[in-house]
């Protein structure tokens, strides 16, 4: 997986996880709210049905109260009361029924085949004793009872809510009931509607998640493309600077070899040839002159060796590897003093040996670049180099009393400030810090490298 793909993945994954968590929370709250709403609606339905049943029973009791309260207990009076109750009905499935306290059916207008039967042992499909529970409720003063009973209009057993009262003078239990299948159907519609709402909510959240993921991925891709273009441009500029630096270094080496070593070697060659000619003459005076020529050639060879050492030291000082950064900077300061005539004061403090090799090289090259810039542009009369070792890194400070320059302007100039940009890029490469402050009183270059850089 490429880096930009990893970045996009790391950006999208937390978003998707957050949206999934939100979706689960929303779904949980929606289901909980739906259950609470269903329970509230169900309770409201049942409360209205209970009030309705109580009202029906009260009306039925009132319709036969003139017979029940007359004090008569003959069969004719009871038959008249049964006739009145049988004639009372409401809706398609609303009726009244009568049982005696032993469970015998006295009156059932919708199921006359039950009249005369003892249903005390009748149990519904759930195994509950239907008539026994109704009689028990009536003996306790009357009230509501839920049970299963065959609905006349469908001939199927459904849930029913009954309300019964006792008529102790005649030993009756009178009651009525409302079938609850319409309540269940209404609640099922509510359940379907709420499930649909939850499903739509999940679809909306999924759509938002997909849109957000696409937006993040598109933004990340656009940003990656933009950053890639910027990085490519920087790489091209950096590569050009590397090439320019290499060409400058090669040109400097070429000048050093041509102007110094090459001319000396040609001179030594000519001197050796002249000495050999004089030696071949056999004359004592010529041999003496040849000896002097060889001595001069030997001196020039010593100078050539010194020049080779100087060039080698500029390329990679052996003292940096052998004795460390402090010794290499001290040697650099002495050589600069001898070559330029400008005194360089070097001071080292603390432990400076914990830096990695690459950091040592970067700080040394930075000091070389700074001294080169000072020699070319600053016209300084004094230079101070301070190397301070700290607990977590090393700080290098190079100060001069030259006339200074516009550091920001030079750093941003496309054709100038290559050395300054090189110093900044070298420090960035090792994760260090670089700062430069310049004024008419001089320039201070500060570089910090961590021990683990």
């Amino acid at each position: 997986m490429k880096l930009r793909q990893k970045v996009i993945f790391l950006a999208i994954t937390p978003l998707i996880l957050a949206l999934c968590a939100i979706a689960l929370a929303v779904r949980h709250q929606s289901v909980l709210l739906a259950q609470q709403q269903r329970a509230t609606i169900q309770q409201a339905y049942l409360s209205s049905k209970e009030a309705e049943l109580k009202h029906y029973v009260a009306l039925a009791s009132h319709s036969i109260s003139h017979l029940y309260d007359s004090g008569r207990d003959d069969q004719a009076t009871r038959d008249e009361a049964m006739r009145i109750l049988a004639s009372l009905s409401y809706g398609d499935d609303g009726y009244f029924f009568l049982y005696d306290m032993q469970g015998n059916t006295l009156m059932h207008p919708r199921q006359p085949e039950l009249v005369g039967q003892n249903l005390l042992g009748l149990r519904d499909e759930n195994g509950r004793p239907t008539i026994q529970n109704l009689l028990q409720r009536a003996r306790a003063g009357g009230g509501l009872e839920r049970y299963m009973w065959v609905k006349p209009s469908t001939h199927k057993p459904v849930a029913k809510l009954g309300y019964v009262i006792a008529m102790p003078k005649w030993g009756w239990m009178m009651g009525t009931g409302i079938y609850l299948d319409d309540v269940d159907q209404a609640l099922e519609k509510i359940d379907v509607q709420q499930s649909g709402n939850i499903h739509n909510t999940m679809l909306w959240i999924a759509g938002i998640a997909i849109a957000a993921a696409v937006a993040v991925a598109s933004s990340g891709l656009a940003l990656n493309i933009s950053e890639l273009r910027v990085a490519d441009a920087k790489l091209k500029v950096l590569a050009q600077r590397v090439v320019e630096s290499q060409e400058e270094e090669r040109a400097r080496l070429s000048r050093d070899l041509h102007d110094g070593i090459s001319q000396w070697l040609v001179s030594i060659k000519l001197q050796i040839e002249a000495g050999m000619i004089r030696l071949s003459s056999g004359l004592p005076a010529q041999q003496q002159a040849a000896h002097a020529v060889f001595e001069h050639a030997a001196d020039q060879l010593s100078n050539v060796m010194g020049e080779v050492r100087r060039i080698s030291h500029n390329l990679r000082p052996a003292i940096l590897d052998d004795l460390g950064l402090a010794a290499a900077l001290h040697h650099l300061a002495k050589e600069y003093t001898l070559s330029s005539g400008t005194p360089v004061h070097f001071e080292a403090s603390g432990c400076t040996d914990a830096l990695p090799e690459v950091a040592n090289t970067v700080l040394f090259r930075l000091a070389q670049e700074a001294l080169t810039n000072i020699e070319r542009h600053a016209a300084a009369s004094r230079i101070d180099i301070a190397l301070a070792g700290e607990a977590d890194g090393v700080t290098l400070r190079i100060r001069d009393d030259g006339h200074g320059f516009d550091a920001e302007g030079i750093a941003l100039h496309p054709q100038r400030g290559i050395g300054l940009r090189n110093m900044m890029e070298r420090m960035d490469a090792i994760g260090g810090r670089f700062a430069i402050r310049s004024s008419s009183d001089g320039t201070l270059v500060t570089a910090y490298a961590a021990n683990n850089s």
Side-chain angles (χ1 to χ4, degrees):
M1 187 181 289
K2 296 181 180 179
L3 179 59
R4 61 188 179 195
Q5 294 173 339
K6 291 180 179 179
V7 171
I8 294 174
F9 176 77
L10 291 176
I12 292 177
T13 301
L15 175 63
I16 296 299
L17 292 177
L19 289 174
C20 288
I22 292 173
L24 291 175
V26 170
R27 188 179 187 282
H28 174 73
Q29 291 298 324
S30 298
V31 170
L32 184 62
L33 181 61
Q35 291 175 348
Q36 294 175 349
Q37 185 178 4
R38 187 183 193 278
T40 302
I41 294 174
Q42 184 178 20
Q43 184 62 37
Y45 266 113
L46 293 178
S47 297
S48 65
K49 297 295 184 183
E50 291 174 5
E52 186 178 353
L53 287 175
K54 291 179 181 178
H55 179 66
Y56 287 154
V57 171
L59 288 177
S61 298
H62 181 71
S63 67
I64 62 172
S65 60
H66 64 284
L67 299 173
Y68 184 73
D69 296 332
S70 67
R72 293 178 293 173
D73 192 12
D74 55 282
Q75 189 61 39
T77 303
R78 293 189 179 192
D79 290 341
E80 178 64 16
M82 289 183 191
R83 186 191 64 78
I84 294 173
L85 291 176
S87 65
L88 298 177
S89 63
Y90 49 93
D92 295 333
D93 299 300
Y95 59 89
F96 292 90
F97 53 82
L98 286 174
Y99 290 84
D100 64 17
M101 290 302 177
Q102 287 74 41
N104 295 306
T105 308
L106 301 177
M107 184 270 296
H108 203 295
R110 299 301 172 90
Q111 291 176 283
E113 68 275 8
L114 297 179
V115 176
Q117 296 185 25
N118 187 288
L119 303 180
L120 190 63
L122 179 67
R123 293 178 179 270
D124 61 15
E125 60 184 18
N126 297 322
R128 298 180 61 191
T130 304
I131 304 303
Q132 289 184 29
N133 290 338
L134 290 173
L135 290 172
Q136 185 177 358
R137 181 70 63 184
R139 291 190 186 100
L144 295 164
E145 183 70 25
R146 292 192 63 166
Y147 56 97
M148 301 292 294
W149 198 264
V150 176
K151 188 175 182 179
S153 60
T154 62
H155 304 288
K156 294 180 180 180
V158 296
K160 186 175 184 179
L161 181 65
Y163 188 86
V164 294
I165 60 172
M167 302 181 71
K169 292 181 182 179
W170 292 348
W172 287 0
M173 174 188 71
M174 181 187 69
T176 187
I178 296 178
Y179 294 94
L180 299 177
D181 53 340
D182 57 340
V183 177
D184 294 335
Q185 291 174 359
L187 293 176
E188 286 178 2
K189 290 182 181 179
I190 293 173
D191 292 339
V192 171
Q193 182 180 3
Q194 290 173 340
S195 297
N197 292 336
I198 294 174
H199 180 70
N200 292 334
T201 302
M202 294 299 103
L203 289 178
W204 272 104
I205 293 177
I208 293 172
I210 294 173
V214 171
V216 171
S218 302
S219 301
L221 184 60
L223 181 62
N224 282 331
I225 293 174
S226 176
E227 291 294 329
L228 185 60
R229 290 176 179 173
V230 173
D232 287 341
K234 290 183 178 180
L235 284 176
K236 290 179 181 178
V237 174
L238 182 59
Q240 184 178 358
R241 290 179 186 172
V242 170
V243 172
E244 291 174 355
S245 299
Q246 288 178 343
E247 293 300 323
E248 288 181 0
E249 187 66 16
R250 289 171 181 171
R252 186 183 66 80
L253 285 175
S254 177
R255 288 194 302 270
D256 289 343
L257 292 175
H258 181 270
D259 297 341
I261 295 177
S262 179
Q263 293 181 6
W264 271 337
L265 290 177
V266 171
S267 175
I268 292 171
K269 176 179 177 294
L270 294 175
Q271 292 179 40
I272 291 175
E273 290 176 350
M276 291 176 64
I277 293 173
R278 290 181 179 180
L279 282 175
S280 63
S281 65
L283 298 176
Q286 292 294 327
Q287 291 179 352
Q288 186 67 28
H291 184 270
V293 170
F294 288 143
E295 286 184 350
H296 186 262
D299 291 339
Q300 286 190 327
L301 280 175
S302 297
N303 292 333
V304 170
M305 292 174 62
E307 184 67 11
V308 170
R309 284 194 299 270
R310 183 187 68 80
I311 294 174
S312 175
H313 179 77
N314 287 336
L315 291 176
R316 176 71 183 180
I319 192 172
L320 180 62
D321 298 324
D322 298 336
L323 300 180
L325 179 61
L329 290 176
H330 185 257
H331 182 71
L332 178 66
K334 290 196 299 183
E335 284 197 341
Y336 183 86
T337 300
L338 293 175
S339 63
S340 67
T342 303
V344 179
H345 302 274
F346 175 76
E347 179 181 356
S349 61
C351 179
T352 61
D353 299 330
L355 286 179
E357 181 179 343
V358 64
N360 285 331
T361 303
V362 168
L363 290 180
F364 183 81
R365 295 303 183 197
L366 188 143
Q368 279 185 316
E369 187 71 35
L371 291 177
T372 301
N373 290 337
I374 292 171
E375 183 178 6
R376 291 178 180 176
H377 310 294
S381 60
R382 178 184 173 90
I383 302 172
D384 294 297
I385 300 177
L387 186 68
E390 302 169 7
D392 54 351
V394 174
T395 301
L396 173 65
R397 294 182 178 88
I398 303 174
R399 185 190 302 272
D400 68 79
D401 60 355
H403 49 65
F405 66 100
D406 181 8
E408 294 183 1
I410 292 295
L412 298 176
H413 198 281
Q415 278 80 35
R416 302 173 63 188
I418 294 178
L420 183 58
R421 288 193 293 272
N422 284 342
M423 288 191 283
M424 294 178 180
E425 290 169 358
R426 286 177 184 269
M427 293 305 299
D428 287 338
I430 63 171
R433 297 194 297 269
F434 178 83
I436 184 167
R437 188 172 69 249
S438 185
S439 66
S440 59
D441 297 328
T443 301
L444 173 63
V445 174
T446 304
Y448 171 81
N451 289 334
N452 57 354
S453 60

